[in-house]
């Protein structure tokens, strides 16, 4: 696998001009997959910009400054106040992000934005083969967690404290454990200062996994977070999936408190592998359009944990094709004939489309991950959606 990732990073960006991009999810959407509302579309689009800003954290000489300034999209949010940033280090299991306040007339929120990592594939592969037991309230065995951030059993909602046969991705859990001392005291204080502000978590890639684990603890504390992740990998086994589904109520409206946004060509929501014992949880919102920019009809609600009409369908779609033997130049025409006949059905297993880490894994309403004015240059000509309910977004 490591060899595959190395080759992908070296050669696959060059192959994009030779081999056509083939969408991962080829299932047609059924009638059970309703389109989201314009309101929710606008909400998700705004949150994608907020998580894009998190990529300024950890960059030398850039960062985010008070009141809320950065080289990326901070100017889009006039009523925001930066509280703090965190950066626990450069290891794969470390974490970056920021905490900000959204003041009226913007929606009053306490926002935690968890940055992704450019080495998410390596993180998944290196640290997922040894899952660890998941405990809803973290301990302090190694002394790395401050006493002020400990969560005792009496603080836990007893209805949600039991997680039977639950295991969690070791690297993701370690990343959250490294992050807790940096964010828990701040969030606890902000909750006291701004009791009417909605606690809002947003994360991309590895940051989505960390946000997921943070959300379980925050819910256990009775903080009722609203969570939105983009390209979130699978964080645990079936027991943990059931625990997620029990903890967060699923609604097809703006009150849905967990939105797990996936993209038709993104392999990360399919990792770590099912064969390794990992499963996705519910709350999926699926972008079915391969290219930027999606519009309201391209974004759909999904049912359950593994809706076959959403990203989970990519694990069963497609055919395995055998390339004919090519012998000297005489067979070139035979190869061209085979390619023209087969290219529409050609399917690389979705979870091995590592080259999409450079493209689709970053394409959530905008191309995420570059802390420069206006974000990725691909986005510079685009407009933001309208906020008027019932009006289609203009992109």
């Amino acid at each position: 696998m490591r060899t595959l990732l190395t080759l992908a990073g070296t050669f696959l960006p060059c192959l994009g001009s030779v081999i056509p991009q083939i969408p991962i999810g080829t299932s047609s959407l059924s009638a059970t997959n309703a389109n989201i509302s314009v309101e929710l579309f606008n909400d998700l689009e705004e949150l994608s910009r907020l998580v894009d800003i998190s990529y300024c954290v950890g960059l030398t000489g850039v960062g985010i400054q008070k009141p809320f300034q950065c080289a990326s999209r901070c100017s889009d949010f006039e009523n925001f106040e930066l509280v703090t940033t965190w950066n626990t280090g450069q290891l794969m299991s470390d974490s970056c992000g920021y905490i900000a306040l959204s003041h009226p007339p913007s929606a009053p929120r306490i926002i935690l934005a968890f940055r992704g990592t450019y080495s998410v594939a390596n993180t998944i592969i290196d640290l997922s083969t040894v899952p660890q037991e998941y405990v809803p309230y973290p301990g302090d065995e190694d002394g790395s967690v401050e006493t002020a951030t400990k969560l005792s059993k009496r603080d836990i909602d007893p209805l949600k404290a039991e997680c039977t046969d639950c295991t969690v991705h070791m690297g993701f859990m370690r990343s959250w454990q490294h992050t807790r001392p940096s964010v828990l005291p701040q969030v606890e204080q902000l909750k006291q200062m701004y009791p009417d502000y909605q606690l809002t978590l947003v994360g991309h890639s590895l940051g989505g996994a960390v946000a997921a684990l943070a959300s379980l603890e925050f819910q256990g504390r009775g903080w009722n977070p609203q969570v939105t992740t983009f390209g979130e990998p699978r964080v645990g086994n079936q027991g943990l999936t059931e625990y997620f589904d029990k903890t967060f109520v699923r609604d097809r409206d703006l009150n849905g408190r967990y939105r797990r946004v996936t993209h038709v060509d993104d392999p990360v929501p399919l990792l770590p592998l099912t064969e390794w014992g990992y499963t996705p949880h519910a709350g999926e919102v699926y972008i079915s359009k391969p290219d930027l920019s999606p519009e309201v009809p391209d974004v759909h609600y999904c049912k359950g944990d593994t809706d076959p009409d959403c990203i989970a369908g990519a694990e069963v779609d497609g055919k395995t094709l055998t390339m004919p033997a090519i012998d000297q130049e005489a067979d070139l025409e035979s190869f061209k004939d085979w390619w023209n006949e087969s290219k529409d059905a050609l399917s690389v297993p979705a979870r091995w489309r590592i080259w999409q880490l450079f493209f689709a894994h970053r394409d959530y309403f905008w191309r995420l991950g570059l802390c420069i004015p206006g974000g990725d240059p691909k986005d510079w000509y685009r407009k933001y959606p309208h906020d008027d309910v019932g009006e289609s977004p203009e992109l």
Side-chain angles (χ1 to χ4, degrees), residues 23 25 29 262-264 286-291 294 297-300 309:
L29 291 167
T262 64
H263 181 279
V264 59
Y286 178 62
I287 301 173
S288 61
K289 183 179 179 180
D291 303 319
D298 303 315
V299 188
H300 313 268
D309 288 322

Side-chain angles (χ1 to χ4, degrees), residues 74-215:
C74 292
S75 60
D76 297 345
F77 303 96
E78 296 180 357
N79 303 307
F80 276 53
E81 174 189 352
L82 177 68
V83 177
T84 189
T85 63
W86 76 85
N87 183 359
T88 63
Q90 301 301 319
L91 298 177
M92 285 187 293
S93 59
D94 285 311
S95 172
C96 293
Y98 68 87
I99 303 175
L101 293 169
S102 170
H103 296 296
S106 298
R109 291 171 289 176
I110 302 168
I111 296 172
L112 275 72
F114 296 81
R115 201 195 80 176
T117 175
Y118 296 110
S119 60
V120 63
N122 288 339
T123 303
I124 291 169
I125 300 304
D126 287 351
L127 298 177
S128 63
T129 54
V130 186
Q132 69 180 56
E133 181 183 3
Y134 176 79
V135 180
Y137 43 91
D140 193 25
E141 293 82 0
D142 61 0
S144 61
V145 179
E146 298 292 338
T147 302
T149 68
K150 290 175 65 177
L151 187 61
S152 65
K153 292 184 180 181
R154 62 182 172 81
D155 296 322
I156 298 280
D157 182 345
L159 296 177
K160 298 184 173 67
E162 188 173 341
C163 192
T164 306
D165 297 326
C166 294
T167 60
V168 63
H169 184 287
M170 183 171 62
F172 300 158
M173 191 63 186
R174 185 176 299 164
S175 186
W176 167 232
Q177 289 171 336
H178 289 177
T179 305
R180 291 178 72 249
S182 299
V183 303
L184 278 180
Q186 295 276 2
V187 175
E188 187 168 21
Q189 183 179 21
L190 292 171
K191 287 287 293 179
Q192 294 172 356
M193 295 173 60
Y194 302 94
D196 297 329
Y197 280 41
Q198 172 67 58
L199 179 58
T200 302
L201 277 59
V202 60
H204 172 242
S205 190
L206 171 65
V210 181
L213 295 173
S215 71

Side-chain angles (χ1 to χ4, degrees), residues 237-267:
N237 68 347
Q238 182 62 33
L240 189 59
T241 288
E242 294 172 1
Y243 185 68
F244 262 106
D245 295 348
K246 180 176 67 173
T247 300
F248 292 98
V249 177
R250 311 299 174 184
D251 297 316
R252 284 191 168 189
D253 55 33
L254 287 174
N255 295 320
R257 290 199 301 110
Y258 203 115
R259 290 88 65 97
R260 181 173 65 88
V261 186
T262 64
H263 181 279
V264 59
D265 279 340
D266 187 359

Side-chain angles (χ1 to χ4, degrees), residues 55-67:
Y55 279 89
C56 292
V57 180
L59 296 181
T60 304
V62 183
I64 309 174
Q65 294 83 36
K66 294 184 178 182

Side-chain angles (χ1 to χ4, degrees), residues 275-345:
E275 292 90 326
W276 294 352
Y278 289 86
T279 60
H281 60 80
E284 182 179 3
V285 178
Y286 178 62
I287 301 173
S288 61
K289 183 179 179 180
D291 303 319
L292 292 172
S293 309
E295 299 179 3
V296 173
D298 303 315
V299 188
H300 313 268
Y301 290 104
C302 303
K303 296 182 64 176
D305 302 326
T306 54
D307 190 332
D309 288 322
C310 295
I311 195 65
E315 291 200 292
V316 297
D317 285 340
K319 301 177 181 179
T320 300
L321 302 179
T322 303
M323 183 182 296
I326 304 298
D327 183 18
Q328 305 298 332
E329 296 182 2
D331 283 333
L332 182 57
E333 291 302 318
S334 298
F335 172 76
K336 289 181 178 179
D337 291 341
W338 170 82
W339 173 255
N340 289 330
E341 293 174 1
S342 306
K343 61 183 179 181
D344 290 337

